Amino acid sequence: MAREATITQEAVNAAADRIRAAGGKPTARAVREELGQGSMATVLRLLQHWQAGQGRAPDARDVDHRA
């Protein structure tokens, strides 16, 4: 029987946002360190969900220079 997660999506989101705001890269290891708890598998799963909601910034190839 699987154990119930001790961390939440909201906690991972907040930790990843803090890491990014401080200029760091929100990796699963960095988020787990920030939280001080949670299994790597759970942190990774929740972090991937956070990353999916971040979108991506357009780069130079995405800009239409014809305008």
Side-chain angles (χ1 to χ4, degrees):
M1 186 165 142
R3 295 184 323 186
E4 190 168 326
T6 59
I7 60 172
T8 64
Q9 183 68 60
E10 292 77 21
V12 170
N13 294 353
D17 289 338
R18 285 191 301 273
I19 293 166
R20 179 176 278 170
K25 182 175 180 177
T27 63
R29 186 174 308 274
V31 168
R32 186 176 184 282
E33 251 181 60
E34 177 79 16
L35 294 172
Q37 65 179 359
S39 73
M40 285 299 288
T42 301
V43 171
L44 180 58
R45 179 175 46 84
L46 297 174
L47 182 61
Q48 288 172 333
H49 188 266
W50 175 83
Q51 289 170 329
Q54 297 303 298
R56 68 176 182 87
D59 63 20
R61 294 173 296 202
D62 296 332
V63 177
D64 186 355
H65 295 287
R66 293 177 285 170

